Amino acid sequence: GFELGFAMASPNALVCWEAQFGDFHNTAQCIIDQFISSGQAKWVRHNGIVLLLPHGMEGMGPEHSSARPERFLQMSNDDSDAYPFSEQFEVSQLYECNWIVVNCSTPANYFHVLRRQILLPFRKPLIVLTPKSLLRHPEAKSSFDEMVSGTTFQRVIPENGLAAQAPHEVKRVIFCTGKVYYDLVKERKNQELEKQVAITRLEQISPFPFDLLKEELEKYPGADLVWCQEEHKNSGYYDYVKPRFRTIVNHTRPIWYVGREPAAAAATGNKNMHLVSLRRFLDTAFNLEAFEGKT
């Protein structure tokens, strides 16, 4: 509540509230529900508060793994069934939304999304899902060239490897967000599937980047479409992204789910079970025959 009031009184300040673990924001649920998600709709008051919520299935147990992104996405006000048309697509979406939800996989994008938060000519709450393990992950790095003048926040980071060079030969496109990307890239390399499988990252989840994902979907016309997440099926992003993907393709192509099974707890407290479930969904993600014959 203090940070919310400070951000209201000082709109040109970058005010951040960070939870030790994203799970702990449930003690602030009243502030989030009544003020942050709906404050503009109820009282026409803009607020640019930033919530930094560590989130990621890292084997830390059910109370130290999930910022419950599904709750923030459920309260997002964009329409899953309507493809938005606008000349200034990105800015229009940001202006119309009630808040912004991101999960940045690179230091440069993290820098840019915080910078954009202050540079926007209006204020919106920003929810940042921040995996702790990416602080020390050797592959989670950026060149300073990605942070100089002329560079901006990337709502989507498309495949830029071998698969992108011959898109008509790609058999599967995996869409994901957050740190699971690095697990997928490592597994793809181990299975030598760099030409057959493309991996595209959603860095901004809400408002949903319809325009950029439409370009990605059209680039790979003959590929399976997969949403892969490390969260359980009834958590995370799947229920939010699935109808929006279907809207982009006008319900002509399915978007398959790959991830953990539904569960009441956000994560297991058993390290071995955590690793077994990770192994299981990575195997499915790169089994190119997994969805044959299904509709």
Side-chain angles (χ1 to χ4, degrees):
F2 173 81
E3 285 81 6
L4 180 72
F6 198 105
M8 189 79 72
S10 304
N12 292 322
L14 183 65
V15 180
C16 302
W17 178 78
E18 184 171 27
Q20 183 182 11
F21 286 88
D23 314 64
F24 303 166
H25 80 71
N26 58 10
T27 62
Q29 202 69 53
C30 179
I31 297 291
I32 292 169
D33 290 353
Q34 292 188 252
F35 295 93
I36 299 178
S37 73
S38 56
Q40 183 182 343
K42 291 192 285 191
W43 304 302
V44 200
R45 295 301 299 272
H46 285 227
N47 195 294
I49 189 171
V50 179
L51 304 189
L52 304 176
L53 305 177
H55 169 84
M57 305 296 111
E58 298 173 346
M60 298 289 286
E63 269 62 71
H64 301 85
S65 296
S66 178
R68 294 290 188 180
E70 65 276 5
R71 294 179 180 172
F72 294 100
L73 295 173
Q74 185 186 39
M75 289 189 283
S76 295
N77 67 353
D78 64 332
D79 189 345
S80 63
D81 299 320
Y83 189 97
F85 293 95
S86 173
E87 291 183 4
Q88 296 181 313
F89 193 97
E90 181 177 0
V91 175
S92 295
Q93 272 198 314
L94 293 174
Y95 185 76
E96 297 294 336
C97 74
N98 61 315
W99 58 18
I100 304 160
V101 182
V102 302
N103 192 344
C104 300
S105 62
T106 70
N109 239 16
Y110 188 30
F111 160 77
H112 279 302
V113 80
L114 293 178
R115 182 173 177 269
R116 184 184 73 173
Q117 186 71 358
I118 289 298
L119 290 176
L120 284 173
F122 47 82
R123 293 291 171 258
K124 298 286 179 174
L126 173 65
I127 316 301
V128 186
L129 305 166
T130 56
K132 285 180 179 285
S133 63
L134 293 196
L135 290 171
R136 55 189 180 274
H137 197 293
E139 298 303 318
K141 57 189 176 183
S142 298
S143 164
F144 281 112
D145 292 338
E146 299 172 66
M147 291 177 266
V148 297
S149 297
T151 59
T152 59
F153 174 69
Q154 292 181 272
R155 292 174 291 148
V156 170
I157 301 180
E159 170 67 47
N160 60 4
L162 293 175
Q165 296 172 18
H168 288 273
E169 297 177 15
V170 171
K171 297 180 179 178
R172 175 166 297 173
V173 184
I174 300 176
F175 296 92
C176 64
T177 188
K179 80 174 188 64
V180 74
Y181 167 76
Y182 294 99
D183 295 320
L184 291 167
V185 167
K186 181 180 178 181
E187 184 65 22
R188 180 177 66 175
K189 183 177 181 180
N190 290 343
Q191 295 199 27
E192 299 182 347
L193 291 172
E194 287 98 333
K195 291 184 178 180
Q196 294 100 312
V197 179
I199 304 174
T200 294
R201 284 170 275 178
L202 274 72
E203 302 284 290
Q204 177 178 293
I205 306 144
S206 180
F208 195 69
F210 284 93
D211 54 334
L212 299 180
L213 290 174
K214 187 174 189 293
E215 294 176 9
E216 283 297 289
L217 292 168
E218 291 174 349
K219 189 188 299 180
Y220 304 101
D224 284 342
L225 307 180
V226 167
W227 174 262
C228 183
Q229 64 179 37
E230 58 180 359
E231 296 82 2
H232 293 282
K233 190 174 184 179
N234 58 324
S235 317
Y237 322 90
Y238 181 61
D239 286 340
Y240 177 85
V241 303
K242 180 181 178 180
R244 289 163 175 81
F245 272 111
R246 298 280 281 158
T247 294
I248 294 174
V249 298
N250 199 25
H251 298 268
T252 57
R253 300 166 71 182
I255 177 86
W256 302 107
Y257 170 80
V258 172
R260 290 183 166 93
E261 297 295 320
T268 178
N270 182 290
K271 184 72 172 183
N272 185 60
M273 288 180 64
H274 166 77
L275 294 174
V276 167
S277 59
L278 172 63
R279 179 72 264 156
R280 185 180 295 128
F281 81 71
L282 287 177
D283 287 343
T284 303
F286 293 98
N287 176 3
L288 300 182
E289 299 176 355
F291 305 110
E292 281 191 4
K294 295 184 179 182
T295 58

